[in-house]
């Protein structure tokens, strides 16, 4: 079985300029994902899809390959990650390379490690899945949420049943954390929907699920990475 890691790294970022190569604890953000992919020893190929020569050079130095640049069609704000995946798979097919599986690894998840990648592939095989997608427990139960009217009245904000519940008695909800998307290549190209059938969740901790979107996320990620480094050194 041939496995491909796809790391999408578009240069345009509205929230944080050059987010994917922003330095965290002394190295570019994207390098954490490339290192995790390399250490997992799962992949036949680890590639970065980017529209930036600078990003491409950093990615190559970190151990990934950039066999072709991302097209302008797949580089717009409105382009989805699945547009990128399809372009990469077809691009490799055009040069005679085909893969049985691919794993989309967004560079904005620096706390995702090789152990998570290995764990996701283990679950993929055990469950004979078509797709595995990482999730984590939601910060708060949706039972605690509601919309507010224009006057911010709380009348009816929490229904009577939920108001009597303790937090620990509420159902556990999960959310996609964006760290791992694993799929059979043929299934994805046929269905274009990774949740169509035989899709399973790979559960990660909330700490390891940090997704970099703004400066606060960067600060939290840096703090957690430093904490892990201190723990390893002691």
């Amino acid at each position: 079985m041939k496995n491909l890691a796809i790391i999408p790294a578009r240069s345009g970022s509205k929230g944080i300029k050059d987010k994917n190569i922003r330095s965290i604890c002394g190295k570019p953000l994207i390098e954490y994902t490339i290192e995790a992919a390399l250490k997992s020893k799962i992949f036949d190929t680890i590639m970065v899809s980017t529209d930036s020569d600078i990003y491409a050079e950093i990615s190559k130095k970190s151990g990934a390959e950039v066999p072709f640049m991302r097209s302008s069609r797949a580089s717009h704000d409105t382009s989805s990650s699945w547009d990128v995946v399809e372009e990469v798979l077809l691009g490799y097919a055009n040069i005679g390379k085909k893969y049985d599986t691919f794993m989309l690894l967004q560079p904005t998840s620096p706390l995702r490690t090789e152990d998570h990648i290995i764990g996701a592939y283990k679950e993929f095989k055990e469950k004979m899945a078509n797709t595995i997608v990482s999730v984590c427990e939601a910060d708060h139960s949706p039972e605690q949420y509601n919309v507010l009217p224009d006057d911010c009245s709380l009348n009816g904000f929490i229904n009577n049943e939920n108001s009597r519940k303790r937090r620990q008695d509420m159902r556990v909800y999960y959310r996609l954390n964006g760290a791992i998307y694993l799929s059979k290549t043929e299934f994805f190209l046929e269905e274009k929907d990774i949740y169509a059938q035989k899709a399973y969740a790979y559960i990660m901790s909330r700490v390891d699920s940090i997704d970099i979107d703004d400066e606060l996320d960067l600060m939290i990620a840096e703090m957690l990475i430093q904490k892990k480094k201190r723990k390893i050194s002691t």
Side-chain angles (χ1 to χ4, degrees):
M1 181 176 287
K2 296 194 70 176
N3 305 317
L4 170 67
I6 301 174
I7 303 172
R10 187 171 66 92
S11 59
S13 176
K14 292 182 178 179
I16 304 174
K17 181 177 172 56
D18 288 326
K19 175 173 63 177
N20 290 316
I21 59 170
R22 179 75 172 264
S23 178
I24 294 187
C25 296
K27 60 185 178 184
L29 177 61
I30 196 171
E31 191 171 324
Y32 288 92
T33 292
I34 295 172
E35 283 185 355
L38 288 167
K39 288 179 180 178
S40 75
K41 301 186 185 305
I42 292 287
F43 304 106
D44 297 275
T45 302
I46 299 167
M47 75 86 65
V48 170
S49 171
T50 184
D51 57 342
S52 164
D53 290 334
I54 295 174
Y55 283 27
E57 189 62 30
I58 291 172
S59 299
K60 290 174 185 177
K61 286 182 179 178
S62 299
E65 68 174 49
V66 185
F68 38 79
M69 300 298 287
R70 187 187 300 193
S71 70
S72 58
R73 179 187 66 82
S75 299
H76 296 299
D77 288 342
T78 56
S79 302
S80 73
S81 296
W82 307 116
D83 294 330
V84 174
V85 169
E86 185 172 16
E87 179 176 86
V88 168
L89 294 175
L90 295 178
Y92 272 115
N94 287 336
I95 58 176
K97 290 186 176 182
K98 293 187 178 181
Y99 298 89
D100 300 292
T101 74
F102 70 85
M103 183 179 283
L104 181 68
L105 296 168
Q106 299 188 124
T108 49
S109 299
L111 276 298
R112 177 237 300 108
T113 68
E114 66 272 18
D115 292 332
H116 297 120
I117 294 171
I118 293 167
Y121 260 104
K122 182 180 178 182
E123 184 173 337
F124 179 75
K125 291 178 180 178
E126 289 175 348
K127 293 186 174 178
M128 294 184 288
N130 286 323
T131 60
I132 295 288
V133 179
S134 60
V135 302
C136 67
E137 188 174 331
D139 297 349
H140 302 286
S141 169
E143 296 174 25
Q144 297 175 301
Y145 288 73
N146 208 333
V147 296
L148 283 172
D150 291 340
D151 67 354
C152 294
S153 170
L154 287 175
N155 183 30
F157 186 81
I158 302 292
N159 68 47
N160 288 333
E161 182 183 350
N162 289 340
S163 68
R164 292 192 294 269
K165 284 184 180 180
R166 299 178 301 167
R167 182 181 59 82
Q168 58 266 37
D169 293 331
M170 292 182 177
R171 290 175 293 177
V172 178
Y173 284 80
Y174 293 86
R175 64 172 177 83
L176 302 178
N177 68 359
I180 291 173
Y181 297 89
L182 167 61
S183 178
K184 291 179 180 177
T185 300
E186 186 176 354
F187 175 79
F188 169 77
L189 291 175
E190 287 179 356
E191 297 291 336
K192 300 295 192 299
D193 179 5
I194 63 169
Y195 307 103
Q197 54 184 308
K198 296 189 72 176
Y200 297 95
Y202 174 72
I203 301 173
M204 293 173 56
S205 73
R206 283 169 53 194
V207 169
D208 294 330
S209 298
I210 293 293
D211 183 31
I212 307 298
D213 187 51
D214 55 30
E215 291 289 344
L216 178 59
D217 296 329
L218 276 169
M219 292 170 61
I220 293 171
E222 190 155 33
M223 178 189 69
L224 292 171
I225 291 169
Q226 289 173 341
K227 184 177 180 180
K228 282 192 173 187
K229 286 182 176 180
R230 287 195 297 268
K231 187 174 181 180
I232 292 171
S233 64
T234 55

